[in-house]
Amino acid sequence: MSKSQVITARIDPEVMELVDRIAAAQGRSRSWLAARAIEKMARAETAFMDFVKVGEDDIAAGRYLTQEQMEEWVEERVRNRQAIRQAAE
């Protein structure tokens, strides 16, 4: 029994031409290209959802800065960086 699953999708002719060009240039099948593209997209989207979830969890736990606090933090970092540069001169 195969471990892979079959998926069907409708692709417009222009995109199919691009897929065929890539497949011919790389010596790969349409199926291989589609599987890699779906895998890449699914991994990227899952990583993004996980990233967002960490942020949402932090907010729910009260671990965040207000806009004003963030602006103060950035300004302090800039001032510290400028002081380091001036001291090095």
Side-chain angles (χ1 to χ4, degrees):
M1 180 187 273
S2 174
K3 292 182 182 180
S4 63
Q5 301 283 319
V6 175
I7 188 170
T8 303
R10 296 192 183 276
I11 307 294
D12 72 42
E14 183 180 334
V15 173
M16 188 59 77
E17 286 179 26
L18 297 173
V19 170
D20 287 340
R21 283 181 56 195
I22 295 167
Q26 295 184 1
R28 300 288 187 172
S29 67
R30 287 175 172 173
S31 178
W32 187 91
L33 291 174
R36 297 299 79 73
I38 292 169
E39 177 185 4
K40 184 176 181 179
M41 185 278 305
R43 290 186 188 282
E45 288 297 319
T46 301
F48 182 72
M49 289 187 314
D50 292 345
F51 173 76
V52 169
K53 178 77 169 99
V54 168
E56 291 172 339
D57 291 347
D58 282 344
I59 290 169
R63 295 184 300 263
Y64 63 91
L65 297 176
T66 65
Q67 178 72 29
E68 292 80 20
Q69 290 169 321
M70 191 65 181
E71 289 171 2
E72 289 173 15
W73 180 81
V74 169
E75 288 172 9
E76 181 180 344
R77 303 264 311 167
V78 169
R79 283 192 303 273
N80 288 343
R81 187 58 141 166
Q82 289 171 342
I84 290 169
R85 285 185 181 161
Q86 289 174 352
E89 293 176 348

